Amino acid sequence: MEPTDYVARLRAQANDPGREEALRRDRRVRRLKIALGAGAGVLLLGGFGFWLADSTGERPPYEPYGARVLDEEVWPLEWPYSVNMPFRNSPASGWAEGADGIYVPVPMPSGGLTAKDITAVLEDVKTLLVETNLSEDTLAGDEPTAALALLDPRGADEAVRKDMVTRFDPKEVYLDESGVRTRGAMTYRVSAAGELVVRVDYAFVYPLVTTGVAHEVVPGLPEVARIAVRRQFTVTSRGGKLVLGAYASEVANHDCSAPKDGFLHPLLAEGRWKAAQAAKGTKVALADLYDEKRVLPSGPGHCVTPSGT
């Protein structure tokens, strides 16, 4: 086509009376398509929002919804813990495991006692802590007879001796394979009488799974219940035995209404949420077992509602 002919054709099209009408129709079609696309998006988002609101409104806060959509690391505090992340949202996640968290101080000769004398007593105190709070047999319900034999029976009544032991009913729960988390401190001094006095302040956090058919947070991931136990006490080495002095302990996320059967009974997500709700509006203060400066009320077996485990 010659250039002159092409220009003439364009002029003819520009002067065509129906051209403006065709362009208007084209613009209307385009606007309609855009509106329909945006409307579909709004409906989709609205439907998702309605589903989410319906899910969160109808379900209790402790019951996960769409759990597989969210990374478990960012799940809300109220949601259950699972075997995938048993120490989620817990300061204990970075603690040492089991007996590795019980550090024996480096002994220095003092008050006529040699480093060897002091080490022997400190190791006995560690054995007492390990066998009463970390031994697999003890946690599964056995009595740590050998460990309790380290104590002079005249220095502790039977109730305190029983309270020093952490045990779970093997018919109810078992310890998750991730193990116990432990943290605390052991210090010592030599008294004016030349006796070694040892003070311990340790916390233990236990991840537990229900025996039998465990509740699954999501398919394939059983729920984990955490119990935290903190013990503060002093013992004096006297005549080859440990004489118990001041003693205090607290246990958090244990069912305080459970029978006094010598076992700790952990609360799952529903139970711990309800316990926290019951504490609201009352004079019951939430206990922080992770506050290392906190001195526990004297006496055994204080069952508390925790600020977290």
Side-chain angles (χ1 to χ4, degrees):
M1 180 182 293
E2 293 294 327
T4 54
D5 295 337
Y6 180 70
V7 170
R9 182 178 177 182
L10 288 178
R11 285 175 178 171
Q13 288 178 350
N15 295 324
D16 185 356
R19 179 174 181 273
E20 286 299 323
E21 180 61 29
L23 288 174
R24 280 195 293 270
R25 284 198 305 269
D26 182 67
R27 284 194 292 267
R28 284 198 298 270
V29 170
R30 288 175 183 272
R31 284 197 295 267
L32 181 60
K33 287 180 178 179
I34 292 171
L36 288 173
V42 169
L43 286 173
L44 179 62
L45 290 175
F48 176 76
F50 175 80
W51 171 84
L52 186 62
D54 182 64
S55 295
T56 54
E58 294 299 325
R59 292 171 180 262
Y62 51 81
E63 191 172 314
Y65 53 88
R68 288 193 180 279
V69 179
L70 293 175
D71 190 310
E72 190 169 346
E73 193 171 352
V74 297
W75 283 7
L77 287 170
E78 294 84 1
W79 284 15
Y81 315 123
S82 81
V83 294
N84 186 47
M85 295 187 71
F87 291 100
R88 189 188 86 242
N89 298 327
S90 173
S93 61
W95 291 5
E97 183 179 346
D100 290 341
I102 301 178
Y103 301 101
V104 174
V106 177
M108 297 292 291
S110 178
L113 297 175
T114 66
K116 186 177 180 180
D117 295 333
I118 296 173
T119 297
V121 176
L122 296 179
E123 288 293 344
D124 279 350
V125 175
K126 179 174 181 176
T127 298
L128 179 64
L129 284 168
V130 169
E131 293 301 316
T132 53
N133 295 282
L134 295 170
S135 161
E136 289 185 6
D137 291 340
T138 302
L139 297 180
D142 287 353
E143 288 286 351
T145 330
L148 292 176
L150 295 170
L151 289 172
D152 187 330
R154 293 170 294 180
D157 60 35
E158 190 62 25
V160 170
R161 289 167 65 89
K162 286 183 177 179
D163 185 71
M164 295 180 76
V165 182
T166 303
R167 299 165 67 236
F168 301 102
D169 187 346
K171 297 177 182 177
E172 181 183 357
V173 293
Y174 63 89
L175 185 68
D176 180 65
E177 61 181 13
S178 56
V180 186
R181 294 295 181 268
T182 309
R183 187 171 184 175
M186 182 188 303
T187 57
Y188 71 89
R189 64 180 177 84
V190 179
S191 70
E195 297 174 326
L196 190 68
V197 180
V198 183
R199 182 182 185 275
V200 298
D201 180 358
Y202 272 92
F204 307 91
V205 184
Y206 306 88
L208 301 151
V209 182
T210 306
T211 55
V213 181
H215 171 253
E216 293 187 346
V217 179
V218 294
L221 292 180
E223 181 175 355
V224 162
R226 290 199 301 256
I227 272 190
V229 175
R230 187 166 177 183
R231 305 199 187 281
Q232 295 176 342
F233 61 84
T234 60
V235 288
T236 300
S237 177
R238 186 177 300 154
K241 291 285 188 179
L242 300 175
V243 180
L244 189 66
Y247 178 82
S249 74
E250 279 186 350
V251 56
N253 204 44
H254 159 66
D255 184 358
C256 302
S257 64
K260 308 296 183 185
D261 55 5
F263 297 121
L264 296 182
H265 301 277
L267 296 172
L268 294 171
E270 179 179 356
R272 63 184 169 88
W273 183 81
K274 289 180 177 178
Q277 292 300 111
K280 288 182 178 180
T282 69
K283 294 182 179 180
V284 177
L286 298 181
D288 183 3
L289 269 74
Y290 295 105
D291 182 357
E292 296 180 1
K293 296 181 180 179
R294 183 164 161 264
V295 177
L296 305 185
S298 179
H302 293 289
C303 186
V304 297
T305 302
S307 56
T309 58

